[in-house]
Amino acid sequence: MSQRTKIKALLESEQTNIEVTVKGWVRTFRNNQFIALNDGSTNSNIQIVVDFENTDPSILKRLTTGAAISVVGELVASLGKGQKVEVKAKTIEILGDSDPEKYPLQPKKHSLEFLREIAHLRFRTNTFGAIFRVRNSLAFAVHTFFQERGFVYLHTPIITASDAEGAGETFHVTNLNMANPPRIENGEVDFKQDFFGRATNLTVSGQLEGELGAMALSDIYTFGPTFRAENSNTTRHLAEFWMIEPEMAFYDLEDNMNLAEELLKYLIAYVLKHNAEDIEFLTQRLAEEEKQKPQQERSDMSLTEKLQFCLDNDFQRLTYTEAIDILIESTPNKKKKFQYPVEGWGTDLQSEHERYLVEKHFKKPVILTDYPKAIKAFYMRQNEPDANGHETVRAMDILFPGIGEMVGGSQREERLEKLEQRMDEMGIPKDELWWYLDTRRFGACPHAGFGLGFERMVQFVTGMGNIRDVIPFPRFPKNAEF
Ligand code: 4AD
Ligand code: MG
């Protein structure tokens, strides 16, 4: 195989009049003369100028949209508008034909819905090229952020016997014969005969195991896939999504919030710096999409401005109790515009309420803390009841404009007695989680952590409205194609 130069490097090349080899996929071929070639290294195509009078017509015919080709030629300063350099082709080799009658991607605008049906090919569009380069950068930046701060990357298990969030929305993992599983006397499936000798499922969170690591390594983070069988067909939920979960010994909620805010800003700044071209493209894309919307639904900031705004402003921090007061007094609540009216303390916030706080009231990211104990997970640290007798826990959720909940986390309940009492109240089997409780028996210490939904972050940074468009092959109810 001959060496090739990536298109990104060619377009940035200081040198011209040199021989180069370039390989990629044809985006368009016009006037029998100009190929727009792309290899995914950048959103921009390189122009290949074909000497059609001296090129075999059978080759010209095969220069169709989607075909893979290899070109040897001279990199020259371009005479045309729109590009600094182009390649004057000497030889063109067709590596893989693409039948123009059958190739589903035409050089025109396709809807995101259509592209989702051909997710195996959508990488070849400008939009998805940009999205997946940004996603890549964000993943890399997650690691640099934590590595720069001395965190240990811990691989928590994918198959587990626990359901960390206690929500029961797990996918079972079994190799029993589903048509005829072994059963115990009362008719229930006998999981003792299953592969692991017990019922297991795909993890919904690496947190509980992460806590075990933090109780020795101090600062750890996980970054892996998580699975939830919740039947929510929304633009914010996937059945398989990636989550970043740091867990820090000796952190309280304040430290936890500071780290989370720092992480989110770091990720945004990283992409603005390293993916400027892609963000510029996605900003244009969003601006065009917004033109289709009625005026009042359009955002008053461009994507780039939104990202910059997040960097320049402190996130608004307030307690759940303060947020409820704001919501009760809010115009949409008084005018009965919320689908779920906010009547008083204790109810869970719906996404319409979160969005009101973030998009209308504060107009910036918000960190809500100290939620009612009754609506949060068992492991969150319990506060003393307030003057009104309200029982809360040291939870924090970070809410983002256009997204809703981006981060969920808390300081953990490190006091064994309080934790056990809460597990009893919530019917969480203590014997199954004996190992988790052991950390509270031996050298327990204050600690905290959070989970950042990776795809929601990619969504925010790319300005994509649907979470299914920021993961290569989305998993959602009734869909596991590709
Ligand atoms: O709020 P969640 O459920 O928190 C946890 O799992 C904790 N164990 C985290 C921790 O403290 N270590 O999920 C964390 C984040 C949410 O804020 C959201 O961004 C994302 O994960 N998330 C989802 N993203 C896509 N699809 C889904 N179905 C998601 N469910 C949660
Ligand atoms: Mg949550």
Side-chain angles (χ1 to χ4, degrees), residues 10 19 41 114 135 141 169 240 242 263 273 344 351 353 360 396 402 467 475 482:
L10 288 180
E19 187 176 277
S41 58
F114 171 71
R135 183 181 166 110
E169 55 209 17
E240 175 179 296
W242 288 64
L263 168 64
K273 181 165 173 209
S351 79
H353 308 138
K360 296 278 175 337
M396 64 123 175
I467 198 165
R475 299 288 176 254
F482 311 108

Side-chain angles (χ1 to χ4, degrees), residues 164 166 377-378 420 422-431 433:
F378 72 94
E420 288 191 317
R422 191 69 193 130
M423 290 171 83
D424 287 340
E425 283 167 14
M426 294 177 74
I428 294 169
K430 287 185 305 216
D431 50 341
L433 289 177

